[in-house]
Amino acid sequence: MSDRPAPAPAPAPRQLMVGLLLAVLGAIGFSGKAIIVKLAYRHGVDAVTLLMWRMLLALPFFLAIAWWAGRGKPALTRQDWRDIAVLGFTGYYLASYLDFAGLAYISASLERLILYLNPTLVLLISVLWFKHRLQARQVVAMAISYAGVVAVFAHELSFEGHHTAIGTALVFASAVSYAVYLSLSGKVVQRLGSLRLAGLASTVACVLCIAQFLLLKPASSFRVPEPVLWLSLLNATACTVAPVLMVMMAIARIGAPLSSQVGMVGPMSTLIMGVLILGEPMNLWIVAGTVLVLGGVFVVSRAARPRSPA
């Protein structure tokens, strides 16, 4: 008699449909962040100010999530707080700041493609830090994904020059920072739970973003045009807090692998919103780059998924 665990049961049809819908809406919500940031930049604000307003407005929600998820759970230890501080810094503060800064230079479509390299970056970190071995299929898949980003990057570089290089470097650094968060968060998630960790780490990031603004900006910078306030509120709710909750609920219903694959609608939704809302161009280079990135990430995700027992 085999000691191997039985495969997880397939979700019921209704549960599957609800989970898929939540995953799609979560991916679209996350993708909308870039569109809102680009719209806010048209009103003359900078990354530090815009990020502060986003986090200030999201802070009450994250505090509520941390409280709700922590009810009846053991008190946090010093090690827990150290881990939360590190993860909050890398995954939500630094990654968010670099992303917002990069969006001042590149299109929303290119930004989303770069961020969707996260699975490949996590894989590379696991190879460098945890000595995991790369499969040939994973190497090919990563080459395909990066070829897609390079294609879109080269196209934008021909029009925007060094601005594209600066923005791409900033957003890629954001993706690396978030990949470090994903790589380090596994054991902490097991101890604290995903929702509690997300609430606590995001709270740390909110405090860091507000402190950064207070240190770098004069008090007069707190006053921003009214449209920026409304855009920041939309960013904090529809593109930050709500997607976190929707993706968590999707994972609970249909599992992380399927939720991750459904999340690949993100780059396409950013591309469409960029064309319709921002007036960004739609051309063969961008479409081809998007297809390559999604194809490579899909293969990497499937290769990284544990196989079901025979």
Side-chain angles (χ1 to χ4, degrees), residues 117 141-153 288-289 292-293:
L117 294 175
M142 287 192 293
I144 293 172
S145 289
Y146 284 87
V149 171
V150 168
V152 180
F153 168 77
L292 287 172
V293 170

Side-chain angles (χ1 to χ4, degrees), residues 151-180:
V152 180
F153 168 77
H155 176 74
E156 291 202 11
L157 187 66
S158 65
F159 292 99
E160 300 294 336
H162 74 283
H163 279 188
T164 298
I166 294 172
T168 299
L170 288 169
V171 176
F172 186 76
S174 170
V176 171
S177 181
Y178 195 70
V180 170

